[in-house]
Amino acid sequence: MNLAMADPATDLFGAPPALVVRAPGRVNLIGEHTDYNDGFVLPVAISVETRVAARPRGDRRIRVIASDFGSAVAEWELDAPYAANPSAPWADYIRGMTCAMIARGHQLIGADLAVSGTVPKGAGLSSSASLMVGIGRALAELAELAIAPAEIALMAQAGECDHVGMRCGIMDQLASACGVKDHALMIDCRSLAVRPVALPEGVAILIVHSGVERGLVEGAYNERRAQCEAAAAAVGVSALRDADMAMLEGAGLDPLTLARARHVVTENARVLAAAEALEAGDLVAMGALMAASHSSMRDDFEITVPRIDALVAELRALIGPEGGARMTGGGFGGAVVALCRADRADAVLAGLTYRKPDGGAPLVLRETACDGANLVMR
Ligand code: GLA
């Protein structure tokens, strides 16, 4: 990972860029695997981000240089149908985005692009969504198209689902596109309404990357989604958002499907309660909800791994009752998010003994809630 940002004055294929856009990663405080069930999520856009420098071309080609991938270059015709690039899989996200934008009728123009980022990859912090939202915003600005943030988010989701092959929900893209400084976002993933929820004064957001690489998780992710859809169909609702525990228990679900659905139904309720707890500045209640969310991901949805369970337990013990910790993101590895009193954060991090599978110290981010994607230079 290249932690250096694309310098706005960066030489972009021999000339300076016309504009530079940033798009943040996100950390989800609570509400995991609820988005594609039309449910609720509570993410925060964070300071790690993707930067996209862009310059128009005289033809209809897209050419991209990726500083995080050894300055590899990929290029293609804007109007050609989508094709995966096995020698540059990172470019599939970008091409998925351009194809999704064209499919929605947006009149893009050819561009030279340079991308670089600080979002750790494979950590569950949405490096791919921030890349796609950044590309979307940059191409919209370049062609002077007024595209609303939520529309950029929907196209980024479509590009990932239709082309990259991960049947993701809308949380990551909406968080990156619509983030609000100093706020979490309470998102209704059915209506796509985004309600900023002020983070309490004096709360610290800590992120610890377990170092357990998530690898190719699309298969397991898509399987969970299919199980949720099967549960909704068996209960007779269009999405698990509309189910409650009594409906699940009366539907004769097999034990595995019941457990998957129970996670979603209980997690939706926890998100609503968490937004209230944050608004009330109640870190004790928030910590209890985070603990229950982690247990549900571990026992019912089965997306945690033992190392992450141990990391969460250690953080929770260090933090005490005022705050909490849970795995964040799609699961099977990646990062843990913790909330604690800001005046306790240094002591919590100093006390952390967790080591990555390779024996090294984990990557730790002390984060702040940031605004969504925007233009930083033209
Ligand atoms: C990934 C997906 C999101 C969401 C989370 C789990 O980040 O991209 O849409 O489903 O997993 O909450």
Side-chain angles (χ1 to χ4, degrees):
M1 183 188 37
N2 176 8
L3 283 170
M5 278 299 165
D7 178 348
T10 301
D11 179 68
L12 175 52
F13 297 111
L19 57 87
V20 178
V21 153
R22 61 166 277 281
R26 66 97 188 94
V27 68
N28 189 23
L29 299 183
I30 196 162
E32 228 62 81
H33 289 259
T34 44
D35 58 354
Y36 56 77
N37 289 296
D38 278 3
F40 303 101
V41 291
L42 196 62
V44 173
I46 53 179
S47 71
V48 287
E49 63 188 18
T50 301
R51 288 213 171 194
V52 181
R55 191 158 54 90
R57 291 172 60 95
D59 58 14
R60 292 192 56 75
R61 287 185 77 71
I62 296 287
R63 182 168 59 156
V64 196
I65 184 164
S67 62
D68 299 346
F69 294 92
S71 296
V73 174
E75 54 181 300
W76 60 90
E77 279 298 322
L78 201 43
D79 303 306
Y82 178 84
N85 183 345
S87 61
W90 55 268
D92 293 350
Y93 294 91
I94 301 171
R95 190 160 177 177
M97 187 66 192
T98 60
C99 286
M101 294 179 85
I102 287 171
R104 295 274 282 216
H106 295 294
Q107 304 290 318
L108 301 187
I109 61 172
D112 281 339
L113 305 167
V115 298
S116 68
T118 55
V119 188
K121 292 168 186 62
L125 301 175
S126 296
S127 59
S128 58
S130 84
L131 171 61
M132 296 176 85
V133 167
I135 292 288
R137 178 51 61 209
L139 291 176
E141 297 287 346
L142 211 56
E144 297 189 9
L145 305 171
I147 308 182
E151 165 76 356
I152 298 263
L154 282 167
M155 292 186 292
Q157 181 200 20
E160 192 157 349
C161 288
D162 297 348
H163 300 306
V164 182
M166 164 108 167
R167 295 184 63 216
C168 59
I170 190 64
M171 165 171 67
D172 308 346
Q173 298 81 1
L174 270 182
S176 182
C178 304
V180 178
K181 188 176 172 5
D182 298 332
H183 290 71
L185 303 177
M186 169 74 191
I187 303 176
D188 178 335
C189 297
R190 172 169 280 166
S191 69
L192 303 189
V194 176
R195 183 168 68 83
V197 174
L199 290 169
E201 287 277 313
V203 69
I205 304 171
L206 306 177
I207 297 170
V208 183
H209 185 359
S210 67
V212 180
E213 295 297 333
R214 295 185 309 151
L216 288 172
V217 297
E218 285 91 345
Y221 183 94
N222 291 347
E223 179 192 60
R224 294 300 186 282
R225 182 164 180 162
Q227 289 164 337
C228 291
E229 288 166 354
V235 172
V237 292
S238 67
L240 285 178
R241 151 79 171 266
D242 302 313
D244 59 25
M245 282 311 300
M247 291 161 82
L248 295 187
E249 276 150 16
L253 301 172
D254 66 83
L256 183 82
T257 309
L258 175 62
R260 300 295 191 251
R262 182 167 55 220
H263 165 74
V264 174
V265 168
T266 58
E267 185 81 346
N268 273 329
R270 284 187 287 270
V271 177
L272 298 174
E276 283 183 19
L278 281 186
E279 272 163 342
D282 187 346
L283 280 183
V284 174
M286 187 67 193
L289 290 163
M290 292 173 86
S293 171
H294 188 85
S295 301
S296 180
M297 291 191 290
R298 182 192 60 210
D299 302 336
D300 279 347
F301 220 61
E302 295 184 277
I303 54 170
T304 74
V305 296
R307 291 192 83 88
I308 290 192
D309 297 337
L311 172 57
V312 165
E314 192 190 3
L315 280 165
R316 199 177 293 152
L318 287 163
I319 289 168
E322 287 180 89
R326 58 181 284 284
M327 186 189 73
T328 188
F332 309 101
V336 166
V337 62
L339 293 180
C340 69
R341 278 184 14 215
D343 60 9
R344 292 269 310 130
D346 286 342
V348 166
L349 294 177
L352 191 65
T353 62
Y354 176 86
R355 287 293 173 268
K356 297 185 295 178
D358 69 6
L363 173 72
V364 173
L365 304 173
R366 194 166 166 169
E367 269 300 344
T368 50
C370 297
D371 284 326
N374 60 358
L375 194 62
V376 290
M377 194 282 281
R378 191 196 284 275

